[in-house]
Amino acid sequence: MSDSITGFSGAVFDCDGILVDSESPWIDLMAGYLTSMSASGLSPEDLRGLTSDEAVARLQRIHEAPGSPGDVRPPTAGEVDRAYSAALEHVAAPMPGAPELVASLSGTIPIAVASNGRGEDVRGLLERAGMLDFFDAIITIDDVDQGKPAPDPYLLAARRLGLSASTVVAFEDSPVGSQAAHTAGCTVIGVNNDPSIELAGEVRLRHFAQLRFDPRTRSLLIDTEH
């Protein structure tokens, strides 16, 4: 069985966990902080998709909560940024099916990246994964006042493409990112193989192999049985 998405003029992709297999280093980093803090009530996956500032704020609240061991302080945002950048230096693997989809869209409709990552990290990941040159615009946390879950990255990405966000299809794998795209007014396609992770959006896929772009009709064809 198949379905299709039509009527869009551009596409915007998250980076970590959507284009490049770079989310595991972040989850591992957060797990290390939570373990060192003997923190309870928060899992590393709860920090998926957040900026370093937002993640540190969540860790700080855990640290200050009644009953917290309090022996180890949370990291600073700068410490998180440096540790994550170091972890990403050798990450180059694209997510399965991402390069093919991006290549099929590029040159036919305008496409962009909207990420909560730092500009240097995001561009480095995309370059190592062989996808940097496909994109017409790259928006990172360096370009906006507020990162996801605020809609700012998606709104700016749409503007840079010369489009209204309501005419853009957005690809996200995290609750934080999908909420940002939804709030911006994009048509949201959630891509995540873990059914326990709730995503805002109109379409939910397990992986990109379920999706194909038809340049003749400018539509996304969805294979619901793949």
Side-chain angles (χ1 to χ4, degrees):
M1 182 180 297
S2 64
D3 203 349
S4 64
I5 298 174
T6 60
F8 59 92
S9 300
V12 181
F13 293 78
D14 177 42
C15 182
D16 296 328
I18 282 288
L19 295 173
V20 184
D21 191 6
S22 52
E23 200 154 63
S24 293
W26 174 265
I27 296 298
D28 291 345
L29 183 65
M30 294 299 109
Y33 290 136
L34 289 169
T35 297
S36 69
M37 292 169 58
S38 300
S40 60
L42 190 68
S43 73
E45 287 74 17
D46 292 330
L47 303 172
R48 181 193 302 266
L50 297 179
T51 66
S52 55
D53 286 331
E54 291 162 345
V56 166
R58 294 283 297 275
L59 294 172
Q60 186 65 38
R61 287 197 292 272
I62 292 292
H63 179 64
E64 295 173 352
S68 170
D71 296 332
V72 177
R73 66 167 179 80
T76 66
E79 288 170 339
V80 172
D81 283 338
R82 288 189 291 274
Y84 187 49
S85 293
L88 293 179
E89 285 181 357
H90 302 293
V91 173
M95 294 298 291
E100 293 81 2
L101 178 61
V102 168
S104 69
L105 292 165
S106 182
T108 301
I109 63 170
I111 59 175
V113 171
S115 172
N116 264 358
R118 300 163 65 207
E120 182 178 356
D121 292 338
V122 171
R123 289 179 174 83
L125 285 168
L126 294 174
E127 184 173 25
R128 291 191 294 275
M131 288 184 280
L132 180 61
D133 293 338
F134 286 126
F135 293 98
D136 302 294
I138 296 176
I139 305 302
T140 72
I141 194 62
D142 300 334
D143 302 306
V144 293
D145 292 331
Q146 296 185 79
K148 307 169 190 178
D152 302 32
Y154 278 98
L155 293 172
L156 180 57
R159 287 199 300 273
R160 292 277 177 87
L161 295 179
L163 302 172
S164 166
S166 63
T167 68
V168 166
V169 62
F171 297 91
E172 274 286 354
D173 72 315
S174 72
V176 166
S178 63
Q179 185 58 55
H182 178 73
T183 302
C186 303
T187 297
V188 184
I189 299 179
V191 186
N192 196 307
N193 198 38
D194 185 347
S196 69
I197 296 177
E198 296 185 8
L199 302 178
E202 291 71 22
V203 177
R204 175 71 179 256
L205 305 176
R206 297 187 304 278
H207 43 69
F208 277 132
Q210 294 178 273
L211 199 62
R212 180 172 64 85
F213 178 62
D214 184 345
R216 182 180 59 84
T217 61
R218 294 195 174 195
S219 60
L220 287 166
L221 307 179
I222 303 167
D223 182 354
T224 58
E225 296 183 350
H226 192 94

